[in-house]
Amino acid sequence: MLKIRKAQTNDAASMAEILREIGWSERRNSMPLEQVSGPIEELIDHSKKDSEGHTIYVAVNEENKAIGFINVHWVPFVMLGGVEGYVSDVFVSPGASGMGAGRLLIDAVMQEGKERDAYRLMLTNGKEKPSYKRGFYSKAGWTERPKVANFVYYYKEPWS
Ligand SMILES: CC(C)(COP(=O)(O)OP(=O)(O)OC[C@H]1O[C@@H](n2cnc3c(N)ncnc32)[C@H](O)[C@@H]1OP(=O)(O)O)[C@@H](O)C(=O)NCCC(=O)NCCS
């Protein structure tokens, strides 16, 4: 049985393992695990201290081990007169994929946004990724914006 709960500092190692299992970065996969999990610990601590601004949820198995996570930032917009929730990370361990964890994680964020009376949620999704091709977000009721381009300005090597 999978459950959703807020991330705790000691989930960082499992979250780092999930990122490595997904394997999107050769550099990350060749680092010592602590080098990957250290910054994640800091992010979890930051989210816990500023819980108005950020939430990290984990999906956990029967052993309370994180097998997936989602990270959302509650951004106040002057223009909207309200808050946009920016979902920056959604990852489920490939070994636990297809068991509903991803949907539970996105549902938890959608529920929190509703409780916060947020204006909307926003995220980016690579068009070549299976999640896009299989309609992960559209099945959860999300829509693609027809008129808005997603611009980025890189300070570091282009990643995605
Ligand atoms: C996309 C992802 C979060 C889905 O999590 P999941 O726990 O496997 O998904 P669920 O079991 O909740 O299934 C919900 C929907 O996700 C999609 N899905 C399921 N398995 C998937 C997989 N291996 N890859 C992509 N999408 C998948 C399907 O559309 C599924 O709906 P369906 O059962 O009606 O076909 C997960 O596969 C993942 O972490 N992928 C790599 C990272 C990624 O692409 N993140 C999202 C974009 S930033």
Side-chain angles (χ1 to χ4, degrees), residues 2 5 11 16 25 27 33-34 39 41 46 51 71 76 78 84 88 98 107 109 129 133 157:
L2 296 171
R5 61 164 172 77
D11 291 315
S25 159
R27 197 173 68 85
L33 185 68
E34 308 76 63
E41 267 182 32
H46 179 84
S51 59
N71 185 11
V78 172
E84 174 186 81
S88 59
D107 283 351
V109 165
K129 294 279 190 292
K133 291 185 176 157
E157 64 188 83

Side-chain angles (χ1 to χ4, degrees), residues 14-160:
S14 303
M15 291 163 70
E17 275 172 23
I18 294 167
L19 287 178
R20 290 180 9 149
E21 285 164 2
I22 287 186
W24 283 0
S25 159
E26 268 178 41
R27 197 173 68 85
R28 181 166 52 217
N29 280 35
S30 59
M31 286 175 177
L33 185 68
E34 308 76 63
Q35 231 171 295
V36 185
S37 63
I40 300 175
E41 267 182 32
E42 284 172 25
L43 281 176
I44 296 169
D45 287 344
H46 179 84
S47 295
K48 285 169 69 180
K49 280 195 202 108
D50 179 12
S51 59
E52 264 305 297
H54 315 271
T55 315
I56 306 177
Y57 289 106
V58 287
V60 297
N61 63 15
E62 293 80 2
E63 283 91 51
N64 199 29
K65 181 179 159 62
I67 54 88
F69 62 92
I70 194 163
N71 185 11
V72 56
H73 314 278
W74 304 102
V75 185
F77 266 57
V78 172
M79 180 185 81
L80 298 178
V83 167
E84 174 186 81
Y86 172 43
V87 178
S88 59
D89 308 87
V90 188
F91 290 102
V92 171
S93 162
S97 186
M99 289 160 48
R103 184 57 193 260
L104 287 173
L105 288 164
I106 203 82
D107 283 351
V109 165
M110 288 164 68
Q111 180 60 31
E112 184 173 345
K114 194 174 173 187
E115 284 161 15
R116 285 175 178 254
D117 197 25
Y119 190 86
R120 69 183 178 212
L121 298 171
M122 192 273 283
L123 57 75
T124 62
N125 186 201
K127 290 194 174 183
E128 80 293 353
K129 294 279 190 292
S131 48
Y132 181 82
K133 291 185 176 157
R134 292 176 61 167
F136 176 64
Y137 296 108
S138 50
K139 278 182 201 159
W142 293 53
T143 51
E144 227 176 311
R145 298 166 86 174
K147 289 188 186 166
V148 176
N150 179 224
F151 281 90
V152 286
Y153 179 87
Y154 285 107
Y155 290 99
K156 308 223 168 154
E157 64 188 83
W159 160 250
S160 70

